[in-house]
Amino acid sequence: MGGYGEYITPSDEECKKIKKRFEIETEPFFAYTGNIEPRKNIVTILKAFEIACDRLDKTISLVLAGKLSWRTQPIIEAIEQNKYKDRIHLPGYISEEEKKYLMHNACAFVFPSNYEGFGIPIVEAMSCGGIVITADNSSLKEVGGKAAFYVQKTDEVSQLADRMVQCFNLSDAERKKLTVDGESWAAQFSWEKCAHETQAVLEQG
């Protein structure tokens, strides 16, 4: 976890290749990485993205990066029905470098999952200097702390759209502060710390 998502700026040539692959050469974008499946609440992201685009009246993209998993038909249908479907990109499997690029450069990393056992992607995104929108459920609030934006109900489309618009409109100063806060918060999570705490619990038993 800690250090796992640290961001190293790619070369100009690598940046061009990544932007071309994800079709984000010019416009700002929101990003999600992970399996494309119902538990990840992708349909709500799609609906919120449409509302955010309407409200901002800007050319914005949405990158949903990850492999198609189970029960994806409703997600595919939601994309086809979306007013801005031409701005929605599903590149499939991505490399670690590409994932870090998306998390670092997105207006926000959008992760309003219906349930997570831990929520490693939040830590990864913050470690990369990304701004995170997630849900106030399961372990996500504990993982995101005060460094993330939250939706109270995962099916509340308008609230997620509000958070997306809010993140898009952050000033440079606000974005920089959130980036620093997120990196600092994420630094407390590490596999080494997890191993020590697990060993301590086992030894007490």
Side-chain angles (χ1 to χ4, degrees), residues 80-98:
E80 287 301 313
Q81 295 165 8
N82 196 287
K83 187 192 305 184
Y84 302 101
K85 64 180 180 180
D86 292 340
R87 303 183 192 175
I88 300 168
H89 310 297
L90 285 81
Y93 174 81
I94 60 174
S95 67
E96 283 298 315
E97 291 72 22
E98 290 170 332

Side-chain angles (χ1 to χ4, degrees), residues 5-6 18 38 45 48 77 95 98 134 145-146 174 195-196:
E6 290 176 336
I18 292 172
I45 295 176
E77 290 175 359
S95 67
E98 290 170 332
T134 188
K146 295 181 179 179
E174 289 171 328
H196 286 318

Side-chain angles (χ1 to χ4, degrees), residues 95-128:
S95 67
E96 283 298 315
E97 291 72 22
E98 290 170 332
K99 178 170 70 173
K100 292 173 185 178
Y101 180 91
L102 291 176
M103 289 176 164
H104 178 81
N105 291 285
C107 296
F109 174 69
V110 187
F111 194 74
S113 183
N114 288 318
Y115 177 82
E116 292 290 327
F118 179 75
I120 287 178
I122 295 175
V123 178
E124 291 178 331
M126 289 181 177
S127 295
C128 291

Side-chain angles (χ1 to χ4, degrees), residues 6 10 23 36 46 48 51 61 81 105-106 111 153 158 172 189:
E6 290 176 336
E23 301 180 61
I36 309 299
L46 292 164
I51 294 172
S61 294
Q81 295 165 8
N105 291 285
F111 194 74
K153 295 181 179 179
S158 61
D172 290 343
F189 298 99

